[in-house]
Amino acid sequence: QAAIAEVQRWQTVAVAQEHETIMAEEAAKQADAEKGFQDREAALVAESEKRAEALQAAIAEVQRWQTVAVAQEHETIMAEEAAKQADAEKGFQDREAALVAESEKRAEALQAAIAEV
C-alpha cells in the first residue's frame, strides 16, 4: 500500500511537473510571439518615420522650387516691363528726333523762302 501510494504520489508530481513544463513552454512561445510583434511594430514605426522624413524633404524641395519659380516669374515680368519702358523711351527718342528733323527741314524751307524774298 505504501509503495502504491508512493508511486501515485510520484505520478502526481510527474504530471504536475509536466504541466508546469508545458505551461513554461507556452509562456516562452507567447513571449517570443510578443517580442516578434514588438520587433515588427518597431520596424513599421521606423519605416513610417523614414517615409515621413522623406515626404517632408520632398515637400520642402517643392516649396523651394515654387519660391524659385515665383522669383523667376517676377524677374521675367520686371525684364518685360524694362523692355517695354526701353521701347517706349526709344519710341519717344525716335519721335523727338523726327520732330527735330521736321523742324530743321521747316526752318531750312523758311530760310530758303526768306532768301528768295
Side-chain angles (χ1 to χ4, degrees), residues 19-114:
H19 179 72
E20 286 178 15
T21 301
I22 291 170
M23 293 302 288
E25 288 172 352
E26 288 300 315
K29 286 179 187 175
Q30 183 66 29
D32 288 347
E34 181 65 26
K35 178 73 169 99
F37 173 78
Q38 290 172 350
D39 289 348
R40 286 190 301 277
E41 185 179 32
L44 288 172
V45 167
E47 182 63 24
S48 178
E49 289 172 352
K50 276 177 41 181
R51 288 184 180 179
E53 289 172 5
L55 181 60
Q56 286 295 334
I59 289 170
E61 187 67 10
V62 167
Q63 289 173 336
R64 188 179 75 78
W65 280 109
Q66 285 176 333
T67 301
V68 168
V70 168
Q72 287 176 339
E73 184 176 353
H74 178 72
E75 287 177 13
T76 300
I77 290 169
M78 294 303 289
E80 288 171 351
E81 288 300 316
K84 286 179 187 174
Q85 183 66 29
D87 287 347
E89 182 67 26
K90 178 76 170 94
F92 174 77
Q93 290 173 352
D94 288 349
R95 285 191 302 277
E96 185 179 32
L99 287 173
V100 167
E102 181 65 27
S103 178
E104 288 174 352
K105 273 178 41 179
R106 287 185 181 175
E108 288 173 7
L110 183 59
Q111 286 293 340
I114 290 173

